[in-house]
Amino acid sequence: MRHDPMLAILVDLLGRVDGLAGERGHVPVARLRDEIDRIRHIARAFHLDTVECLASTLQSALSLQGAGPVVMSYLDLMRDAIAAEMPEGDVIPMPAVAKPASATGAHLTA
């Protein structure tokens, strides 16, 4: 089996993004800035322009607003951009967070 270096880079980036997302806002802002900066540098080095742009924009948002709900949105967008660069079968979806049942009792029907 042939080793694809670009796939290894994409898997690394995906792991970094998923690692931050898995912390669910419990990452100190200084560490978050460092990790986003690493992601941005890797993306720039390998010409992953969308990922680099998103990481750069997230860095700006962190500077202006600090860590907040916007972080998870940007991490989701970065994950999507990385996944778009990968072969279809190599992307493992993030586990979904269970949502509480609706209080209204409304049911979906087929």
Side-chain angles (χ1 to χ4, degrees), residues 27-91:
V27 179
V29 175
R31 181 171 159 242
L32 183 59
R33 284 185 183 133
D34 287 345
E35 290 296 323
I36 297 300
D37 193 47
R38 286 186 190 122
I39 290 168
R40 185 180 60 78
H41 280 288
I42 294 167
R44 176 180 286 171
F46 291 95
H47 306 286
L48 299 167
D49 299 333
T50 303
V51 178
E52 179 190 358
C53 183
L54 288 166
S56 181
T57 305
L58 177 53
Q59 282 182 311
S60 296
L62 286 171
S63 295
L64 296 173
Q65 303 169 354
V70 72
V71 172
M72 292 303 290
S73 296
Y74 275 97
L75 293 175
D76 287 342
L77 290 170
M78 282 193 284
R79 185 177 211 291
D80 292 345
I82 295 165
E85 297 288 334
M86 298 178 85
E88 189 85 19
D90 291 328
V91 180

Side-chain angles (χ1 to χ4, degrees), residues 2-37:
R2 189 171 164 245
H3 176 70
D4 182 357
M6 188 60 177
L7 183 57
I9 295 301
L10 293 170
V11 168
D12 176 62
L13 284 172
L14 202 55
R16 289 173 185 272
V17 169
D18 286 349
L20 290 173
E23 297 274 340
R24 306 254 190 252
H26 299 293
V27 179
V29 175
R31 181 171 159 242
L32 183 59
R33 284 185 183 133
D34 287 345
E35 290 296 323
I36 297 300
D37 193 47

